[in-house]
Amino acid sequence: MTSPEPAESRPQTRTQNRTQGRTAQTATLAEIAREAGVSAPTVSKVLNGRADVAPATRARVEDLLRAHGYRRRRAEATRSPLIDLVFHELESAWAMEVIRGVENVARDAGLSVVLSESAGRLTPGRTWADQVAARRPHGVVLVLSGLDASQRALLTSRSIPFVVMDPAGDPGADVPSIGATNWQGGLAATRHLVELGHRRIGAITGPSQMMCSRARIDGYRAALETAGLPVDPALIADGDFHHEAGYRRGLELLRRPDRPTAVFAGNDLQALGLYEAARELGLRIPEDLSVVGFDDLPVAPLVGPPLTTVRQPLTEMAEAAAKLVLDLGREEGTPAATRVELATSLVVRSSTGAPVAGS
């Protein structure tokens, strides 16, 4: 007796998608199997992330799935009760705020969270994509990371929705994302220092390849230019959003004969490194040096002196990303807004003040 043909390979009516003014045809798994020269169950194994498929066969099937724009019907996609949360780097209080937000939404939906890290890479490795395909979660939230074309096609073909939170680069018009008003935050931080009377205002940037970092430093430049102050490249130091960079770059800036009287540190971790550099050089905050961070991590009001910073609503951003990815996975269709920026706000504490006369 012949075994029943898998549901995914049964003949289906070809459909036409005209949502963006173009026509696309979707092949059935049986047709893809014939074209690949394999059985329909083999194609199904590839779709389900099974390991018992030869690498060359897997690659050939994946290429055909991508070429045909195959997308598994959601009714056929049995999901695990999981949300995959992928970090560019998983090592700071910043990440804990994001985890808290995703966990809040997952808990309310009766789901668990799987954490993974791309070890500093802005795109997870291929092994990760295969593991996600095998897990079949309700969705994937990527933090400061993105997907290459083959990874996007792999998740799309399995009807696994994904959202990028705080994207490192431009994720593309068709990629759902949640961000913050980084440019406005950099502007507000620097304008605050200008209004206090500072004229030599330094900055420690984040990684140049990250969109949020570029937006913050652009806001810093805009505030200076609007105030009629020169943007001195010598007062802008390259950082990486880590404590050590704040310390090292802070020492370089503060040892200059024309040192800045205030510094926008790019994020809170670099601000704390800058605190350490100022203490080492015998400078008082805010009497000798005003400091502004970015993020408003839980530690910001606890350090001495409490840190003036730009609040980035990390937990709310993570909640919004998790809710969006679950909405995308529901049958009722695509949510109205898939590109969202949440507002930042300046939180003034004791690390900023007017410059000492004559400084």
Side-chain angles (χ1 to χ4, degrees), residues 323-346:
K323 287 175 183 174
L324 178 55
V325 85
L326 294 182
D327 286 346
L328 288 167
R330 296 191 177 103
E331 293 291 346
E332 49 265 32
T334 305
T338 57
R339 298 290 296 273
V340 179
E341 282 194 344
L342 301 188
T344 55
S345 56
L346 181 69

Side-chain angles (χ1 to χ4, degrees), residues 58 62 66 124-131 150-151 154 158:
R58 179 186 300 278
E62 288 286 5
R66 186 162 55 251
R126 173 65 200 218
T127 304
W128 168 84
D130 289 336
Q131 290 169 347
S150 66
Q151 292 167 336
L154 186 147
R158 275 72 169 177

Side-chain angles (χ1 to χ4, degrees), residues 101-302:
V102 175
E103 283 277 11
N104 289 344
V105 173
R107 183 172 56 250
D108 290 346
L111 305 175
S112 300
V113 178
V114 175
L115 291 178
S116 55
E117 182 193 48
S118 58
R121 298 188 303 269
L122 296 182
T123 302
R126 173 65 200 218
T127 304
W128 168 84
D130 289 336
Q131 290 169 347
V132 172
R135 280 195 293 272
R136 285 177 285 179
H138 273 61
V140 178
V141 176
L142 299 113
V143 184
L144 281 176
S145 298
L147 299 174
D148 62 31
S150 66
Q151 292 167 336
R152 287 171 56 183
L154 186 147
L155 295 186
T156 299
S157 69
R158 275 72 169 177
S159 288
I160 300 173
F162 56 90
V163 172
V164 180
M165 177 187 154
D166 206 8
D170 182 1
D174 59 337
V175 176
S177 65
I178 303 291
T181 54
N182 288 289
W183 183 89
Q184 184 63 42
L187 179 81
T190 312
R191 181 179 286 163
H192 170 64
L193 296 171
V194 170
E195 289 172 349
L196 287 171
H198 293 278
R199 295 297 176 264
R200 289 196 308 283
I201 301 171
I204 304 174
T205 72
S208 60
Q209 72 271 30
M210 288 187 180
M211 191 163 62
C212 62
S213 171
R214 296 197 301 271
R216 292 174 197 178
I217 203 66
D218 285 347
Y220 156 87
R221 290 190 180 98
L224 293 180
E225 289 167 355
T226 302
L229 297 174
V231 178
D232 184 353
L235 295 184
I236 301 175
D238 295 335
D240 59 11
F241 283 160
H242 291 97
H243 177 279
E244 180 64 19
Y247 169 70
R248 288 185 287 101
R249 298 308 189 198
L251 285 177
E252 293 170 9
L253 287 172
L254 299 180
R255 282 173 172 157
R256 294 180 58 85
D258 58 344
R259 70 169 180 83
T261 61
V263 175
F264 170 41
N267 76 340
D268 288 353
L269 293 179
Q270 290 185 155
L272 299 182
L274 182 60
Y275 269 41
E276 185 180 345
R279 281 195 299 270
E280 187 172 310
L281 297 176
L283 298 175
R284 300 165 299 163
I285 299 173
E287 293 85 355
D288 303 314
L289 177 71
S290 285
V291 177
V292 182
F294 199 111
D295 285 334
D296 197 25
L297 296 177
V299 71
L302 305 179

